[in-house]
């Protein structure tokens, strides 16, 4: 199942933004799984927070299906463990940032990390698509890349939160 939030005027003002939620992936390495997106399935414009083929957190902001700016943590998430994940896009600087923080740390497991990369400035509000949680819309109006697991307390902030701020939020709350 998935959730869909219809386009609204308040979403049009999202030039810089941050996405944040808790996730509990059941099968993180079982193909690409979308956590949260606002992406036009015809043009590819918008943003997408997802687990990549290796089960690592990734974030993409795109102008079109051919022009996507992406950052990945490169660190696979553990199955059936809680994580606080965050992603931001700063329209002024063009900076993409992601953070994955396990709620509980395990000895010898490297699944905590943050990453940032430069993208083009001013591309954050190019989509008028709905926000979809736990799936990605396809051009034929079906959903694809379903997230297998739990998603708790998804949030969208109308500002780009820095990596330091993302990491400090980890200690402030738990699912």
């Amino acid at each position: 199942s998935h959730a869909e939030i219809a386009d609204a005027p308040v979403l049009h003002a999202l030039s810089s933004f941050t996405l944040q939620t808790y996730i509990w992936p059941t099968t993180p390495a079982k193909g690409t799984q979308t956590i949260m997106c606002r992406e036009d399935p015809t043009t590819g414009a918008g943003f997408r927070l997802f687990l990549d083929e290796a089960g690592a957190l990734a974030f993409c902001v795109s102008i079109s299906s051919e022009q996507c700016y992406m950052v990945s943590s490169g660190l696979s998430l553990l199955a059936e463990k809680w994580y606080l994940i965050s992603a931001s896009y700063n329209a002024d600087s063009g900076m993409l940032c992601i953070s994955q923080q396990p709620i509980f740390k395990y000895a010898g497991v490297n699944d905590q990390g943050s990453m940032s990369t430069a993208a083009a400035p001013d591309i954050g509000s190019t989509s008028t698509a709905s926000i979809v949680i736990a799936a990605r819309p396809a051009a034929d109006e079906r959903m694809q890349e379903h997230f297998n697991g739990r998603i708790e307390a998804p949030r969208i902030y109308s500002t780009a939160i820095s990596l330091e701020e993302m990491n400090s939020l980890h200690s402030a709350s738990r699912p």
Side-chain angles (χ1 to χ4, degrees):
S1 66
H2 66 276
E4 191 169 347
I5 302 158
D7 184 39
V10 69
L11 297 175
H12 299 180
L14 287 180
S15 54
S16 292
F17 59 91
T18 299
L19 309 173
Q20 186 177 62
T21 192
Y22 289 96
I23 62 169
W24 190 82
T26 305
T27 54
K30 192 177 181 181
T32 303
Q33 301 176 49
T34 300
I35 299 161
M36 193 182 312
C37 72
R38 183 176 187 222
E39 187 175 69
D40 184 311
T42 306
T43 67
F47 62 79
R48 183 167 56 111
L49 181 62
F50 61 102
L51 297 183
D52 65 19
E53 292 288 329
L57 183 65
F59 180 49
C60 172
V61 177
S62 54
I63 299 169
S64 68
S65 55
E66 293 83 34
Q67 194 170 5
C68 171
Y69 299 94
M70 190 174 80
V71 61
S72 171
S73 70
L75 302 169
S76 297
L77 281 73
L78 296 177
E80 301 179 351
K81 305 297 180 204
W82 282 108
Y83 291 85
L84 174 63
I85 60 168
S86 306
S88 69
Y89 171 70
N90 186 317
D92 294 331
S93 67
M95 191 62 82
L96 294 175
C97 300
I98 61 169
S99 173
Q100 68 184 49
Q101 303 295 324
I103 300 304
F104 299 104
K105 296 179 184 173
Y106 297 94
V109 176
N110 183 20
D111 61 346
Q112 173 179 335
S114 303
M115 186 67 70
S116 62
T117 191
D122 242 359
I123 59 173
S125 60
T126 59
S127 177
T128 58
S130 298
I131 291 176
V132 179
I133 299 171
R136 180 182 186 192
D140 62 4
E141 298 185 18
R142 292 184 303 164
M143 292 293 168
Q144 61 185 353
E145 296 180 4
H146 290 85
F147 180 74
N148 187 7
R150 300 176 188 171
I151 299 174
E152 288 288 328
R155 299 172 216 152
I156 300 175
Y157 300 101
S158 61
T159 187
I161 295 175
S162 70
L163 284 175
E164 294 78 23
E165 292 167 316
M166 287 179 189
N167 294 334
S168 72
L169 291 172
H170 171 62
S171 60
S173 61
R174 307 253 182 201

